């Protein structure tokens, strides 16, 4: 998301999305929902890889800014309530153990890209912080008056895991900021029930609905968005078991949801979707990702609801969900990176 402004009213965004921001130490409300105990593995959704599965929250430290981090101490007497590999485990006493995305990379001057990162608090009250990424043009020339693009990034993570401080996302922002010559802001938000592309989309809708003065969103990039719906489209009809897992993960992540047609996850059900406050949208999908068809459908939703911009959908062949995080140096990952950079620098 490219923005011409340095001020975003995050408390209003939270109100619009109707989601909490601060950590909830008691997850008992999750456990009281009628979610099947035999919720299956999500590995078939291409959410996992061997590298992903080896990650463990018990091997990483917690960031002081991570208001949603959980204790890593393990009580052998705890009884498991829900097992959601490779994402998390939830115990009956309310403790949540994230199985990935808990690694923390400190802010630094990256020797490869010459991008410098710093951590800042956006709202102490709301528990929201960010990692800033400054390109070489700023760090080496403190008096520069050239305007640079502002790239606001919301990380993914199946609604429940990952942070801006995770190595993969930290490195991705370093690469984007270096190649685009932009200022990067990677937002650290309360995990569950939001996800990166959903937040980016609804931030755009909110800005368009409120018509905030002095704030202009140039464009939005959605990478493998987790959009969904109760009615099966495209290949979803041929993968009933996998589609059920998508439904289950969403219900688990957002206990108060109305279901898979909740506008937070299904833009087609949002009456304000046509008010998206930008003129350009790039949707990146992956051929082997079950969510692929939702990316194409999103373009149709915008167009049929009177949005006046230009949307483009680009597909990575023979790849799965968030492949660029698992294989950041592969040819398709480098192509994806360049597509994002080109979109940022487009006039």
């Amino acid at each position: 998301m490219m923005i011409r402004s340095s001020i975003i009213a995050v408390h209003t965004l939270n109100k619009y999305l109707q989601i909490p921001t601060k950590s909830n130490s008691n997850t008992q409300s999750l456990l009281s929902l009628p979610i099947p105990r035999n919720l299956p593995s999500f590995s078939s959704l291409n959410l996992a890889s061997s590298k992903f599965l080896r990650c463990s929250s018990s091997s990483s430290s917690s960031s002081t800014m991570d208001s949603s981090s959980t204790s890593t101490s393990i009580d052998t007497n705890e009884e498991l309530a829900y097992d959601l590999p490779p994402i998390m485990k939830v115990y009956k006493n309310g403790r949540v153990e994230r199985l990935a995305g808990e690694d923390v990379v400190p802010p630094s001057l990256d020797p490869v890209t010459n991008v410098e990162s710093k951590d800042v608090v956006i709202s102490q009250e709301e528990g929201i912080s960010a990692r800033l990424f400054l390109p070489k043009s700023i760090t080496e020339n403190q008096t520069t008056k050239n305007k640079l693009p502002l790239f606001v990034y919301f990380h993914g993570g199946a609604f429940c895991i990952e942070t801006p401080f995770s190595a993969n996302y930290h490195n991705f922002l370093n690469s984007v900021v270096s190649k685009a010559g932009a200022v990067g802001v990677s937002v650290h938000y309360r995990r569950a029930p939001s996800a990166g592309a959903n937040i980016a989309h609804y931030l755009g809708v909110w800005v368009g609905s409120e018509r905030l003065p002095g704030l202009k969103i140039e464009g939005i990039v959605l990478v493998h968005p987790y959009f969904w719906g109760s009615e099966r489209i495209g290949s979803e009809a041929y993968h009933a078991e996998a589609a059920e897992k998508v439904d289950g993960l969403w219900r688990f992540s957002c206990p108060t949801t109305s279901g898979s047609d909740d506008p937070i996850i299904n833009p087609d059900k949002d009456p304000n979707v046509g008010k998206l406050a930008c003129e350009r949208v790039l949707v990146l999908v992956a051929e082997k990702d079950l969510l692929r068809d939702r990316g194409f459908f999103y373009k149709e939703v915008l167009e049929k609801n009177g949005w006046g911009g230009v949307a483009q959908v680009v597909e990575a062949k023979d790849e799965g969900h968030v492949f660029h995080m698992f294989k950041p140096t592969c040819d398709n990952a480098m192509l994806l990176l360049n597509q994002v950079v080109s979109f940022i620098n487009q006039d």
Side-chain angles (χ1 to χ4, degrees):
M1 176 178 287
M2 291 75 70
I3 293 180
R4 286 185 180 174
S5 175
S6 59
I7 301 175
I8 298 177
V10 291
H11 62 281
T12 308
L13 172 62
N14 297 330
K15 179 179 180 181
Y16 176 77
L17 292 179
Q18 296 183 332
I19 59 174
T21 55
K22 291 187 176 180
S23 173
N24 182 357
S25 59
N26 185 357
T27 57
Q28 192 62 37
S29 59
L30 289 176
L31 307 183
S32 63
L33 295 176
I35 303 175
R37 287 187 176 276
N38 59 342
L39 214 64
S41 167
F42 292 90
S43 58
S44 62
L45 301 183
N46 289 302
L47 294 176
S49 71
S50 58
K51 178 180 179 182
F52 199 20
L53 288 168
R54 285 196 294 269
C55 296
S56 174
S57 61
S58 61
S59 63
S60 62
S61 59
S62 299
S63 168
T64 57
M65 289 183 169
D66 187 356
S67 61
S68 58
S69 61
T70 57
S71 171
T72 57
S73 61
I74 297 178
D75 183 352
T76 56
N77 295 323
E78 289 180 322
E79 186 175 353
L80 191 65
Y82 302 115
D83 191 5
L84 305 172
I87 300 172
M88 65 169 54
K89 293 181 179 180
V90 181
Y91 297 87
K92 287 187 176 181
N93 65 2
R95 186 174 73 85
V96 175
E97 180 185 6
R98 292 182 171 90
L99 302 178
E102 292 296 276
D103 58 312
V104 174
V105 175
S108 62
L109 176 62
D110 183 62
V112 176
T113 62
N114 286 320
V115 171
E116 184 175 357
S117 54
K118 301 179 179 180
D119 291 339
V120 298
V121 175
I122 298 176
S123 172
Q124 188 72 44
E125 179 183 352
E126 301 288 351
I128 299 176
S129 61
R131 175 158 290 181
L132 304 184
F133 293 81
L134 306 178
K136 183 179 179 180
S137 59
I138 288 183
T139 58
E140 292 189 351
N141 185 4
Q142 300 294 333
T143 62
T144 181
K145 295 183 179 180
N146 295 331
K147 291 184 178 180
L148 300 179
L150 177 61
F151 179 57
V152 181
Y153 186 79
F154 300 94
H155 69 84
F159 304 110
C160 302
I161 59 175
E162 303 290 355
T163 73
F165 323 118
S166 301
N168 286 343
Y169 287 104
H170 175 87
N171 294 335
F172 182 70
L173 263 291
N174 274 337
S175 298
V176 171
V177 167
S178 174
K179 287 180 173 290
V183 174
V185 180
S186 186
V187 182
H188 180 50
Y189 55 89
R190 183 257 173 91
R191 296 165 294 176
S194 303
N198 305 68
I199 295 178
H201 163 72
Y202 277 100
L203 176 59
V205 172
W206 169 72
V207 171
S209 301
E210 297 293 328
R211 298 183 178 181
L212 301 179
L215 178 62
K216 182 180 181 181
I217 300 177
E218 295 285 346
I220 296 177
V221 181
L222 303 179
V223 182
H224 308 163
Y226 201 121
F227 295 141
W228 199 240
S230 60
E231 183 179 350
R232 301 293 177 244
I233 64 173
S235 63
E236 296 168 6
Y238 304 101
H239 301 281
E241 183 178 353
E244 183 181 352
K245 296 171 186 177
V246 176
D247 286 327
L249 177 59
W250 169 243
R251 292 194 307 271
F252 181 84
S253 303
C254 187
T256 60
T257 184
S258 58
S260 293
D261 284 331
D262 190 321
I264 295 178
I265 196 173
N266 187 354
D268 191 37
K269 301 302 181 181
D270 185 355
N272 293 319
V273 67
K275 297 179 181 179
L276 186 68
C278 65
E279 297 179 353
R280 298 185 291 125
V281 169
L282 173 63
V283 184
L284 301 178
V285 299
E287 183 181 21
K288 293 184 177 180
D289 185 3
L290 180 63
L291 304 175
R292 166 192 177 275
D293 294 307
R294 293 290 165 174
F296 285 99
F297 184 52
Y298 177 74
K299 179 178 183 291
E300 298 178 19
V301 169
L302 291 179
E303 293 171 347
K304 76 178 183 180
N305 281 277
W307 178 65
V310 177
Q312 180 185 13
V313 183
V314 179
E315 181 179 56
K317 299 298 183 182
D318 199 35
E319 298 289 0
H321 192 70
V322 295
F323 68 91
H324 61 298
M325 289 293 152
F326 303 134
K327 305 180 295 180
T329 61
C330 73
D331 290 343
N332 280 337
M334 298 307 297
L335 179 60
L336 182 150
L337 172 63
N338 290 330
Q339 289 165 342
V340 173
V341 170
S342 296
F343 186 83
I344 293 175
N345 291 327
Q346 181 179 333
D347 292 331

